[in-house]
Amino acid sequence: MAKVRPNAVVPEPTATTSGSGAASSPAEDEQPTVLTVWRKSLLFNCDGFTVFDARGDLAFRVDCYGSGRRAEVVLMDVAGKPLLTVRRKRLISLAEHWVIYDGDAASAKATPLLSVRRHVSLRASKALAHVTPLASGAEAYVVEGSYGRRACAVRDARGEAVAEVRRKESVGDDVFRLVADPRLGAALAMGLVIALDEMFAGGGGSARSLLRRTWSA
């Protein structure tokens, strides 16, 4: 039986810029974080996610009571402290819209960080969603690929991937790999995964039903 928890996962090397030989920034020197994401809560009668780091230790958790579409989902650390809140914005629009807040969105001090809007188009497109910064100094991103097939990437304006969802061999769709570049960070990368999972209902169903829901391949 395939393992859900990895013993060790070696981060794949990132592409480096050729030429100048100038000193790189600390973020460029850091290796990407590689996580194993399991679409299952460890708590009884809960939906959610259990996320392991490269050593197989618990990194993040999401525990949601009840099933169906949710108004908000909270990403927690191992101890249960809220790190991010992913909240649905109720707008009269074909495009689903989620906002990622720092910490617990119920707090008056909660800061909105990113807006995630599902891509809607009658034309064929690689885009799944558009990520807009709500905090000063942040970048905008586009999510491309197929979340249902566990093969998508979050790209910046230069087309470079800052996070990738990759299929994990021989374990099905409920366990997959998340690679997060330090420019985005593991927690925000997982927040985007939560938003995508809610938008596309876990990526389940046939390719045809997924196409009907998203209007994009």
Side-chain angles (χ1 to χ4, degrees):
M1 181 177 178
K3 293 182 179 179
V4 172
R5 293 181 60 178
N7 289 326
V9 179
V10 179
E12 297 185 11
T14 53
T16 57
T17 26
S18 58
S20 65
S24 57
S25 67
E28 290 173 340
D29 291 337
E30 292 182 41
Q31 292 296 311
T33 300
V34 181
L35 302 170
T36 295
V37 182
W38 187 19
R39 290 189 67 255
K40 182 178 177 64
S41 168
L42 294 180
L43 297 185
F44 178 71
N45 204 28
C46 277
D47 291 332
F49 292 91
T50 303
V51 185
F52 301 100
D53 64 18
R55 297 182 299 273
D57 297 325
L58 188 62
F60 304 118
R61 46 184 275 217
V62 174
D63 304 314
C64 300
Y65 292 94
S67 57
R69 310 301 293 280
R70 289 173 276 266
E72 69 177 35
V73 180
V74 178
L75 177 69
M76 298 176 288
D77 65 10
V78 178
K81 177 184 176 182
L83 300 176
L84 298 172
T85 301
V86 186
R87 176 176 286 179
R88 183 194 305 272
K89 299 294 287 185
R90 299 193 178 279
L91 299 176
I92 304 175
S93 170
L94 290 173
E96 288 194 44
H97 180 200
W98 291 76
V99 173
I100 299 177
Y101 292 84
D102 184 24
D104 187 353
S107 168
K109 297 181 180 179
T111 303
L113 302 175
L114 297 173
S115 166
V116 188
R117 191 182 298 269
R118 191 177 72 185
H119 178 78
V120 176
S121 175
L122 293 175
R123 297 181 178 180
S125 172
K126 294 189 299 182
L128 291 178
H130 300 276
V131 183
T132 305
L134 299 176
S136 60
E139 286 191 78
Y141 306 105
V142 62
V143 185
E144 296 180 338
S146 171
Y147 180 73
R149 296 182 180 90
R150 304 299 185 251
C152 60
V154 182
R155 300 190 183 277
D156 62 17
R158 298 175 295 279
E160 297 177 358
V162 295
E164 292 183 76
V165 171
R166 301 175 182 170
R167 181 176 293 276
K168 194 171 173 63
E169 299 81 5
S170 307
V171 290
D173 291 339
D174 282 346
V175 180
F176 54 91
R177 188 165 292 156
L178 174 62
V179 182
D181 189 272
R183 290 173 294 167
L184 180 64
L188 273 179
M190 190 59 210
L192 292 177
V193 166
I194 293 169
L196 291 173
D197 199 81
E198 290 295 320
M199 286 180 184
F200 304 121
S206 67
R208 180 173 296 181
S209 65
L210 184 64
L211 182 62
R212 284 201 301 266
R213 282 205 73 239
T214 65
W215 289 22
S216 61

